[in-house]
Amino acid sequence: MTNPWFETVAEAQRRAKRRLPPSVYGALVAGSERGRTIRDNGAAFADLGLAPHVAGHHAERDLSTTVFGIPVALPVLISPTGVQAVHPDGEVAVARAAANRGTIMGLSSFASKPVEEVVAANPNTMFQVYWSGDRDVMAQRIERAKAAGAKGLIATLDWSFSHGRDWGSPWIPERLTLKAAAKFAPQALRRPRWLASYVRSGRVPDLTAPNLQPPGGEAPPFFGAYGEWMSTPPPTWSDVAWLRGLWPDAPFMLKGVTRIDDAKRAVDAGVTAISVSNHGGNNLDTTPATIRVLGGIADAVGADIEVLLDGGVRRGGDVAKALAFGAKAVMIGRAYLWGLAANGQGGVENVLDILRAGLDSAVLGLGKRSIHELCPEDLVVPRDFQLRLGADDDAMPEVDSPIFVEAEALARRHDVAPTPG
């Protein structure tokens, strides 16, 4: 019998690929279009170095911090992801794991578990919303999250209509009808452990969005929720300020910032935090890796609001690099989903433990007592690595610039490219 414990996030991904039906795994790993951004997210971390000391290290290191006003044991938060069909317990298992490791849970409004159950599993839950539906609908959803005990809001705006994939998108049914189940059966039968987990739970994969359920109505299917979002006119900065005003005394994070000018507009709109994010490579392809744009954004607004990063974090050293560039914390998505697929709640805890151990090793090697001492001088930064998008002194590079060419070469060398199927 395979030892349920694994040593790296890469091993969690390998186990997830062996365990999950190809359509489910394919939905997790691949970015939009040619997948250039998702590759650069990982390759950029690999190209960024650390500058360790040889002596004078500290026997004890402090990895704790405060994010959104909430004390956390490590600066790694759970990023909201929708429809977690990788395990029957889905977001509830993830929330319990995050609570056991002393960190914050981000819950997607497209999640497969209701906010009430997730908050019960982890009181330090942030509820994520899209700009979807009319204002009355959005206000109702936020009031429900507030009543459930969520600590604040994450507004995700870094998602456009760029959804095609060069290698093909996985088949996902709108609802798990008998016809859909029959079509999906050959995949499920090839993954007996995944199928058995649902049989034991007495449930089938939930493809609805219970957190979008209207009062007295039914939860919409995922593609129904997706259709609502696509048909909603995109928000303005005034809309962002209005959204923030629905819950003015709670933390409010705007997710999807990659430009300095947008970060400054977010401060003006009243947000308390931003996530430097490109939606894990699922937004506009050829957007630069988030670690490349983090430093300029943190320099511009880090004194006014909390700056977080997500995208490409797979190791504790990646966390250290983000903190050294000015991030308060990082958020992970695919990494914990692979852990969830590999071993349920224990797999998510395993991933968080891996990142904690790697971060502690980096803090030790860099000669620091605390993560708060990490700084840019701890990094080996290649020439032209950092980008200042939306600043007066710079412009976005051409997509065929040496930065992107090098990123693709690194992706192949380090085998970070997605491998659907």
Side-chain angles (χ1 to χ4, degrees), residues 120-335:
N122 187 339
N124 291 324
T125 293
M126 295 282 290
F127 184 68
Q128 176 268 343
V129 294
Y130 290 102
W131 186 259
S132 178
D134 61 33
R135 286 192 171 192
D136 288 342
V137 166
M138 285 183 262
Q140 178 269 319
R141 292 167 180 166
I142 291 170
E143 283 300 315
R144 176 182 169 185
K146 187 188 302 185
K151 290 294 177 67
L153 292 176
I154 299 172
T156 299
L157 302 184
D158 64 329
W159 194 19
S160 73
F161 300 103
S162 179
H163 60 273
R165 295 171 173 175
D166 287 4
W167 44 85
S169 297
W171 176 73
I172 303 173
E174 182 170 351
R175 292 184 183 274
L176 201 59
T177 62
L178 289 176
K179 182 179 180 180
K183 183 177 180 179
F184 187 72
Q187 287 192 51
L189 292 173
R190 288 166 52 196
R191 299 293 189 268
R193 289 184 296 167
W194 177 85
L195 181 60
S197 68
Y198 277 95
V199 171
R200 288 192 300 269
S201 72
R203 301 191 295 269
V204 297
D206 191 349
L207 302 179
T208 64
N211 293 306
L212 302 183
Q213 181 174 348
E218 294 184 354
F222 173 79
F223 285 107
Y226 182 80
E228 178 193 81
W229 166 76
M230 289 183 66
S231 63
T232 303
T236 65
W237 283 108
S238 294
D239 291 326
V240 175
W242 172 84
L243 197 62
R244 198 282 176 271
L246 293 179
W247 201 349
D249 56 346
F252 181 96
M253 183 173 78
L254 181 63
K255 182 175 180 290
V257 177
T258 59
R259 297 172 56 101
I260 292 171
D261 50 359
D262 280 352
K264 292 178 178 179
R265 295 292 298 272
V267 174
D268 293 340
V271 310
T272 60
I274 58 173
S275 176
V276 177
S277 169
N278 52 37
H279 215 102
N282 278 303
N283 189 29
L284 292 177
D285 195 26
T286 70
T287 301
T290 51
I291 192 64
R292 297 188 188 277
V293 300
L294 170 63
I297 292 172
D299 289 344
V301 301
D304 302 312
I305 58 175
E306 293 182 332
V307 177
L308 287 78
L309 172 137
D310 73 52
V313 174
R314 302 289 183 267
R315 296 164 182 83
D318 298 341
V319 181
K321 293 170 185 177
L323 300 185
F325 265 146
K328 191 69 179 290
V330 304
M331 304 186 80
I332 59 170
R334 290 180 177 90

